Coordinates of all heavy atoms in Angstrom, one line a residue:
M24 N 109.6 111.8 128.6 CA 110.2 111.3 127.4 C 109.8 112.0 126.2 O 108.6 112.2 126.0 CB 109.9 109.8 127.3 CG 110.4 109.1 126.1 SD 110.1 107.3 126.1 CE 111.7 106.8 126.6
P25 N 110.7 112.5 125.4 CA 110.3 113.3 124.2 C 109.7 112.4 123.1 O 109.9 111.2 123.1 CB 111.6 113.8 123.7 CG 112.7 113.0 124.3 CD 112.1 112.4 125.5
P26 N 108.8 112.9 122.3 CA 108.2 112.1 121.2 C 109.2 111.6 120.3 O 110.2 112.2 120.1 CB 107.2 113.1 120.5 CG 107.3 114.4 121.2 CD 108.4 114.3 122.3
V27 N 109.0 110.4 119.7 CA 109.9 109.8 118.8 C 109.5 110.0 117.4 O 110.2 109.4 116.5 CB 110.1 108.3 119.1 CG1 110.6 108.0 120.5 CG2 108.7 107.5 118.9
W28 N 108.5 110.8 117.1 CA 108.1 111.0 115.7 C 109.1 111.5 114.8 O 109.2 111.2 113.7 CB 106.8 111.9 115.7 CG 105.6 111.1 116.0 CD1 105.0 111.1 117.2 CD2 104.9 110.2 115.2 NE1 103.9 110.3 117.2 CE2 103.8 109.7 116.0 CE3 105.0 109.8 113.9 CZ2 102.9 108.8 115.4 CZ3 104.1 108.9 113.4 CH2 103.0 108.4 114.1
D29 N 110.0 112.4 115.4 CA 111.1 113.0 114.6 C 112.0 111.9 114.0 O 112.7 112.1 113.0 CB 111.9 114.0 115.4 CG 111.1 115.2 115.7 OD1 110.1 115.5 115.0 OD2 111.4 115.9 116.6
E30 N 112.0 110.7 114.6 CA 112.9 109.7 114.2 C 112.2 108.7 113.2 O 112.9 107.8 112.8 CB 113.4 108.9 115.4 CG 114.1 109.8 116.4 CD 114.4 109.1 117.7 OE1 114.2 107.8 117.8 OE2 114.7 109.7 118.7
M31 N 111.0 108.9 113.0 CA 110.2 108.0 112.1 C 109.9 108.6 110.8 O 109.4 109.7 110.7 CB 108.9 107.6 112.8 CG 109.2 106.7 114.0 SD 107.7 105.9 114.4 CE 108.2 105.0 115.9
D32 N 110.2 107.8 109.8 CA 109.9 108.2 108.4 C 108.7 107.4 107.9 O 108.2 106.5 108.6 CB 111.0 108.1 107.5 CG 111.6 106.7 107.4 OD1 110.9 105.7 107.8 OD2 112.7 106.5 106.8
N33 N 108.2 107.6 106.8 CA 107.0 106.9 106.3 C 107.2 105.4 106.2 O 106.3 104.7 106.5 CB 106.6 107.5 104.9 CG 106.2 109.0 105.0 OD1 106.4 109.6 106.0 ND2 105.7 109.5 103.9
A34 N 108.4 105.0 105.7 CA 108.7 103.6 105.6 C 108.7 102.9 106.9 O 108.2 101.8 107.0 CB 110.0 103.4 104.9
T35 N 109.2 103.5 108.0 CA 109.2 103.0 109.3 C 107.8 102.8 109.8 O 107.5 101.7 110.4 CB 110.1 103.8 110.2 OG1 111.4 103.9 109.7 CG2 110.1 103.2 111.6
V36 N 107.0 103.8 109.7 CA 105.6 103.8 110.2 C 104.9 102.7 109.4 O 104.1 101.9 110.0 CB 104.9 105.1 110.1 CG1 103.4 105.0 110.4 CG2 105.6 106.1 111.0
A37 N 105.1 102.6 108.1 CA 104.4 101.6 107.3 C 104.8 100.2 107.8 O 103.9 99.3 107.9 CB 104.8 101.8 105.8
R38 N 106.1 100.0 108.1 CA 106.5 98.7 108.6 C 105.9 98.3 109.9 O 105.5 97.2 110.1 CB 108.1 98.7 108.7 CG 108.8 97.8 107.8 CD 110.3 97.7 108.1 NE 110.9 98.8 108.7 CZ 111.5 99.8 108.1 NH1 111.4 99.9 106.8 NH2 112.1 100.7 108.8
I39 N 105.7 99.3 110.8 CA 105.0 99.1 112.0 C 103.6 98.7 111.8 O 103.1 97.8 112.5 CB 105.2 100.3 112.9 CG1 106.6 100.5 113.4 CG2 104.2 100.2 114.2 CD1 106.9 101.9 114.0
L40 N 102.9 99.4 110.9 CA 101.5 99.1 110.6 C 101.4 97.7 110.1 O 100.5 96.9 110.4 CB 100.9 100.1 109.7 CG 100.7 101.5 110.2 CD1 100.4 102.5 109.1 CD2 99.7 101.5 111.3
L41 N 102.3 97.3 109.2 CA 102.3 95.9 108.7 C 102.6 94.9 109.8 O 102.0 93.8 109.8 CB 103.4 95.8 107.5 CG 103.0 96.5 106.2 CD1 104.2 96.4 105.2 CD2 101.7 95.9 105.6
D42 N 103.5 95.2 110.7 CA 103.8 94.3 111.8 C 102.5 94.1 112.7 O 102.2 93.0 113.1 CB 104.9 94.9 112.7 CG 106.3 94.7 112.1 OD1 106.4 94.0 111.1 OD2 107.2 95.4 112.6
I43 N 101.8 95.2 112.9 CA 100.5 95.1 113.7 C 99.5 94.2 112.9 O 98.9 93.4 113.5 CB 99.9 96.5 113.9 CG1 100.8 97.3 114.9 CG2 98.5 96.4 114.5 CD1 100.5 98.8 115.0
A44 N 99.4 94.4 111.6 CA 98.6 93.6 110.8 C 98.9 92.1 111.0 O 98.0 91.2 111.1 CB 98.6 94.0 109.3
G45 N 100.2 91.8 110.9 CA 100.7 90.4 111.1 C 100.3 89.9 112.5 O 99.9 88.7 112.6
L46 N 100.4 90.7 113.5 CA 100.1 90.3 114.9 C 98.6 90.0 115.0 O 98.1 89.0 115.6 CB 100.5 91.3 115.9 CG 102.0 91.4 116.1 CD1 102.3 92.7 117.0 CD2 102.6 90.2 116.7
L47 N 97.8 90.9 114.4 CA 96.3 90.7 114.4 C 95.9 89.4 113.6 O 95.0 88.7 114.0 CB 95.7 91.9 113.7 CG 95.8 93.2 114.5 CD1 95.2 94.4 113.6 CD2 95.0 93.2 115.8
E48 N 96.7 89.2 112.6 CA 96.4 87.9 111.8 C 96.7 86.7 112.7 O 95.9 85.7 112.7 CB 97.3 87.9 110.6 CG 96.8 86.9 109.5 CD 97.5 87.1 108.2 OE1 98.7 87.5 108.2 OE2 96.9 86.9 107.2
R49 N 97.8 86.7 113.4 CA 98.1 85.6 114.3 C 97.1 85.4 115.4 O 96.8 84.3 115.9 CB 99.5 85.8 114.9 CG 100.6 85.6 113.9 CD 102.0 85.6 114.6 NE 103.0 85.7 113.6 CZ 103.6 86.8 113.2 NH1 103.3 88.0 113.7 NH2 104.5 86.8 112.2
K50 N 96.4 86.5 115.8 CA 95.4 86.5 116.8 C 94.1 86.1 116.2 O 93.1 86.0 117.0 CB 95.3 87.8 117.5 CG 96.4 88.1 118.5 CD 96.2 89.5 119.1 CE 94.9 89.5 119.9 NZ 94.7 90.8 120.6
R51 N 94.0 85.9 114.9 CA 92.8 85.6 114.2 C 91.7 86.7 114.4 O 90.5 86.4 114.5 CB 92.2 84.2 114.7 CG 93.2 83.1 114.3 CD 92.7 81.8 114.8 NE 93.7 80.8 114.8 CZ 93.8 79.9 113.8 NH1 93.0 79.9 112.8 NH2 94.8 79.0 113.8
E52 N 92.2 87.9 114.3 CA 91.3 89.1 114.4 C 90.5 89.1 113.0 O 90.8 88.4 112.1 CB 92.1 90.3 114.6 CG 92.6 90.5 116.0 CD 91.6 90.8 117.0 OE1 90.5 91.3 116.7 OE2 91.9 90.6 118.2
S53 N 89.6 90.1 113.0 CA 88.8 90.3 111.8 C 89.6 90.6 110.6 O 90.6 91.3 110.6 CB 87.9 91.5 112.1 OG 87.6 92.2 110.9
H54 N 89.2 90.0 109.5 CA 90.0 90.2 108.2 C 89.9 91.7 107.8 O 90.9 92.2 107.2 CB 89.4 89.3 107.1 CG 89.6 87.9 107.3 ND1 90.9 87.3 107.1 CD2 88.8 86.9 107.6 CE1 90.8 86.0 107.3 NE2 89.6 85.7 107.6
F55 N 88.8 92.3 108.1 CA 88.7 93.7 107.8 C 89.7 94.6 108.6 O 90.3 95.4 108.0 CB 87.3 94.3 108.2 CG 87.1 95.7 108.0 CD1 87.0 96.3 106.7 CD2 87.2 96.6 109.1 CE1 86.9 97.7 106.6 CE2 87.1 98.0 108.9 CZ 87.0 98.5 107.7
K56 N 89.9 94.3 109.8 CA 90.9 95.0 110.7 C 92.3 94.8 110.1 O 93.1 95.7 110.0 CB 90.8 94.5 112.1 CG 91.6 95.4 113.1 CD 91.6 94.8 114.5 CE 90.4 95.2 115.2 NZ 90.4 94.9 116.6
I57 N 92.6 93.6 109.8 CA 93.9 93.3 109.2 C 94.1 94.0 107.9 O 95.2 94.7 107.6 CB 94.1 91.7 109.0 CG1 94.0 91.0 110.3 CG2 95.4 91.4 108.2 CD1 93.8 89.5 110.3
W58 N 93.1 94.0 107.0 CA 93.2 94.7 105.7 C 93.3 96.2 106.0 O 94.1 96.8 105.2 CB 91.9 94.4 105.0 CG 91.7 95.1 103.7 CD1 92.3 94.8 102.5 CD2 91.0 96.4 103.5 NE1 91.9 95.8 101.6 CE2 91.2 96.7 102.2 CE3 90.3 97.2 104.3 CZ2 90.6 97.9 101.6 CZ3 89.8 98.4 103.8 CH2 89.9 98.7 102.5
A59 N 92.6 96.7 107.0 CA 92.7 98.2 107.2 C 94.1 98.6 107.6 O 94.6 99.6 107.1 CB 91.7 98.5 108.4
Y60 N 94.8 97.8 108.4 CA 96.2 98.1 108.8 C 97.1 98.0 107.6 O 98.0 98.9 107.4 CB 96.7 97.3 109.9 CG 96.3 97.8 111.3 CD1 95.1 97.5 111.8 CD2 97.1 98.7 112.0 CE1 94.7 98.0 113.1 CE2 96.8 99.2 113.2 CZ 95.6 98.9 113.7 OH 95.2 99.4 114.9
R61 N 96.9 97.0 106.7 CA 97.7 96.9 105.5 C 97.5 98.0 104.5 O 98.4 98.6 103.9 CB 97.5 95.5 104.9 CG 98.1 94.4 105.7 CD 98.0 93.1 105.0 NE 98.7 92.1 105.8 CZ 98.2 90.9 106.0 NH1 97.1 90.5 105.4 NH2 98.9 90.0 106.8
Q62 N 96.2 98.4 104.4 CA 95.9 99.6 103.5 C 96.5 100.9 104.1 O 97.1 101.7 103.3 CB 94.4 99.7 103.4 CG 93.8 98.7 102.5 CD 94.2 98.7 101.1 OE1 94.2 99.8 100.5 NE2 94.7 97.6 100.6
A63 N 96.4 101.1 105.4 CA 97.0 102.3 106.0 C 98.5 102.3 105.8 O 99.1 103.3 105.5 CB 96.7 102.3 107.5
A64 N 99.2 101.1 105.8 CA 100.6 101.0 105.6 C 101.0 101.5 104.2 O 101.9 102.3 104.0 CB 101.1 99.6 105.9
Q65 N 100.2 101.0 103.2 CA 100.4 101.4 101.8 C 100.2 102.9 101.6 O 101.0 103.6 101.0 CB 99.5 100.7 100.9 CG 99.9 99.2 100.7 CD 98.9 98.5 99.7 OE1 97.8 99.0 99.5 NE2 99.4 97.4 99.2
R66 N 99.2 103.4 102.2 CA 98.9 104.9 102.1 C 100.0 105.7 102.8 O 100.4 106.8 102.2 CB 97.5 105.2 102.7 CG 96.4 104.5 102.0 CD 96.0 105.1 100.7 NE 95.1 104.4 99.9 CZ 93.8 104.1 100.1 NH1 93.2 104.6 101.1 NH2 93.1 103.5 99.2
V67 N 100.4 105.3 103.9 CA 101.5 106.1 104.6 C 102.8 106.1 103.8 O 103.4 107.1 103.7 CB 101.7 105.5 106.1 CG1 103.0 106.1 106.7 CG2 100.5 105.9 107.0
E68 N 103.1 104.9 103.3 CA 104.4 104.8 102.6 C 104.3 105.6 101.3 O 105.3 106.2 100.9 CB 104.6 103.3 102.2 CG 106.1 103.1 101.8 CD 106.5 101.7 101.8 OE1 105.6 100.8 101.6 OE2 107.7 101.5 102.1
G69 N 103.1 105.8 100.7 CA 103.0 106.6 99.5 C 102.8 108.1 99.7 O 102.5 108.8 98.7
L70 N 102.8 108.5 100.9 CA 102.5 110.0 101.1 C 103.6 110.8 100.5 O 104.7 110.5 100.5 CB 102.5 110.3 102.6 CG 101.3 109.8 103.4 CD1 101.5 110.1 104.9 CD2 100.0 110.6 103.0
P71 N 103.1 111.9 99.9 CA 104.1 112.8 99.3 C 104.9 113.7 100.3 O 105.8 114.4 99.9 CB 103.3 113.7 98.4 CG 101.9 113.7 99.0 CD 101.8 112.4 99.7
V72 N 104.5 113.7 101.5 CA 105.1 114.4 102.6 C 105.5 113.4 103.7 O 104.9 112.3 103.8 CB 104.3 115.6 103.2 CG1 104.0 116.6 102.1 CG2 103.0 115.1 103.7
G73 N 106.3 113.9 104.6 CA 106.7 113.0 105.8 C 105.5 112.8 106.8 O 104.8 113.8 107.0
I74 N 105.4 111.6 107.3 CA 104.3 111.3 108.2 C 104.5 112.2 109.5 O 103.5 112.6 110.1 CB 104.3 109.8 108.6 CG1 103.1 109.4 109.5 CG2 105.6 109.4 109.3 CD1 101.8 109.5 108.7
E75 N 105.7 112.6 109.9 CA 105.9 113.4 111.0 C 105.2 114.8 110.8 O 104.6 115.4 111.7 CB 107.3 113.6 111.4 CG 108.2 114.4 110.5 CD 108.6 113.8 109.2 OE1 108.4 112.5 109.1 OE2 109.1 114.5 108.4
Q76 N 105.3 115.3 109.6 CA 104.6 116.6 109.3 C 103.1 116.4 109.4 O 102.4 117.3 110.0 CB 105.0 117.1 107.9 CG 104.3 118.4 107.5 CD 104.7 118.8 106.1 OE1 105.7 118.4 105.6 NE2 103.9 119.6 105.5
V77 N 102.6 115.4 108.9 CA 101.1 115.1 108.9 C 100.7 115.0 110.3 O 99.6 115.6 110.7 CB 100.8 113.8 108.1 CG1 99.3 113.5 108.2 CG2 101.2 114.0 106.6
M78 N 101.4 114.3 111.2 CA 101.1 114.1 112.6 C 101.1 115.5 113.3 O 100.2 115.8 114.0 CB 102.1 113.2 113.2 CG 101.7 112.7 114.6 SD 102.2 113.8 116.0 CE 103.9 114.0 115.8
R79 N 102.2 116.3 113.1 CA 102.3 117.6 113.8 C 101.1 118.5 113.4 O 100.7 119.3 114.2 CB 103.6 118.2 113.4 CG 104.8 117.7 114.2 CD 106.0 118.6 114.0 NE 107.2 117.8 114.1 CZ 108.0 117.5 113.2 NH1 107.8 117.9 111.9 NH2 109.0 116.7 113.4
E80 N 100.7 118.4 112.2 CA 99.6 119.2 111.7 C 98.2 118.7 112.1 O 97.2 119.3 111.8 CB 99.6 119.4 110.2 CG 100.9 120.2 109.7 CD 101.0 120.1 108.2 OE1 100.3 119.5 107.5 OE2 102.0 120.8 107.8
G81 N 98.2 117.5 112.8 CA 96.9 116.9 113.2 C 96.1 116.4 112.1 O 94.9 116.4 112.2
R82 N 96.7 115.9 111.0 CA 96.0 115.5 109.9 C 96.1 114.0 109.6 O 95.8 113.6 108.5 CB 96.5 116.3 108.6 CG 96.3 117.8 108.7 CD 96.7 118.5 107.5 NE 98.1 118.3 107.0 CZ 98.4 117.7 105.9 NH1 97.4 117.3 105.0 NH2 99.6 117.5 105.6
L83 N 96.4 113.2 110.6 CA 96.5 111.8 110.4 C 95.2 111.2 109.8 O 95.2 110.3 108.9 CB 96.9 111.0 111.7 CG 98.3 111.2 112.1 CD1 98.6 110.6 113.5 CD2 99.3 110.7 111.1
R84 N 94.1 111.6 110.4 CA 92.8 111.1 109.9 C 92.4 111.5 108.5 O 91.5 110.9 107.9 CB 91.7 111.5 110.9 CG 91.8 111.1 112.3 CD 91.3 109.7 112.6 NE 90.0 109.4 112.1 CZ 88.8 109.6 112.8 NH1 88.9 110.1 114.0 NH2 87.7 109.2 112.3
E85 N 93.2 112.4 107.9 CA 92.9 112.8 106.5 C 93.5 111.8 105.5 O 93.2 111.8 104.4 CB 93.4 114.2 106.3 CG 92.7 115.3 107.0 CD 93.3 116.6 106.8 OE1 94.0 116.8 105.8 OE2 93.0 117.5 107.6
I86 N 94.4 110.9 106.0 CA 95.0 109.9 105.2 C 93.9 108.8 104.9 O 93.3 108.3 105.9 CB 96.2 109.2 105.9 CG1 97.3 110.3 106.2 CG2 96.8 108.1 105.0 CD1 98.4 109.8 107.1
P87 N 93.6 108.6 103.6 CA 92.6 107.6 103.4 C 92.9 106.2 104.0 O 94.0 105.8 103.9 CB 92.6 107.5 101.8 CG 93.2 108.7 101.4 CD 94.1 109.2 102.4
G88 N 91.9 105.7 104.7 CA 92.1 104.4 105.4 C 92.6 104.5 106.8 O 92.7 103.5 107.5
V89 N 92.9 105.7 107.2 CA 93.4 105.9 108.6 C 92.3 106.4 109.4 O 91.9 107.6 109.3 CB 94.6 106.8 108.7 CG1 95.0 107.1 110.1 CG2 95.8 106.2 107.9
G90 N 91.7 105.5 110.3 CA 90.6 105.9 111.1 C 91.2 106.2 112.5 O 92.4 106.3 112.7
E91 N 90.3 106.3 113.4 CA 90.6 106.7 114.8 C 91.6 105.7 115.4 O 92.6 106.1 116.0 CB 89.4 106.8 115.7 CG 89.6 107.3 117.1 CD 88.4 107.5 117.9 OE1 87.3 107.5 117.3 OE2 88.4 107.5 119.1
A92 N 91.3 104.4 115.3 CA 92.2 103.4 116.0 C 93.6 103.4 115.4 O 94.6 103.3 116.1 CB 91.6 102.0 115.8
I93 N 93.7 103.5 114.1 CA 95.0 103.5 113.4 C 95.8 104.8 113.7 O 97.0 104.8 113.9 CB 94.9 103.2 112.0 CG1 94.4 101.7 111.8 CG2 96.2 103.4 111.2 CD1 94.1 101.3 110.4
A94 N 95.1 105.9 113.7 CA 95.7 107.2 113.9 C 96.3 107.2 115.3 O 97.4 107.8 115.5 CB 94.7 108.4 113.7

């Protein structure tokens, strides 16, 4: 199956990260983890370049707030 990154823009990825944060909240996960996903969503949405370009260049971890788990 081909990668779907070409079909995802920053807003879509940000929405997914927010959805994950919501699911973590429902599971009563750590507030820090929930906050991290929400912060990552804001940072991804505000990127000056497309997230697909950042991913292709292997630079996801360079986005502030995006650690190994989120990347």
Side-chain angles (χ1 to χ4, degrees):
M24 173 174 261
V27 295
W28 281 99
D29 290 338
E30 301 168 13
M31 292 200 182
D32 60 12
N33 296 10
T35 301
V36 173
R38 247 187 334 271
I39 291 168
L40 292 169
L41 289 174
D42 288 346
I43 292 170
L46 292 170
L47 292 171
E48 196 167 36
R49 286 186 193 100
K50 287 180 60 181
R51 299 178 191 261
E52 290 284 342
S53 150
H54 292 289
F55 174 76
K56 188 183 279 190
I57 295 163
W58 175 84
Y60 275 87
R61 289 187 175 140
Q62 287 296 308
Q65 287 182 338
R66 300 280 168 74
V67 165
E68 194 162 33
L70 285 174
V72 298
I74 189 69
E75 71 283 350
Q76 178 182 339
V77 176
M78 190 275 308
R79 280 192 209 110
E80 294 172 357
R82 298 184 306 116
L83 289 173
R84 298 274 312 268
E85 293 178 18
I86 300 170
V89 175
E91 185 177 342
I93 294 175

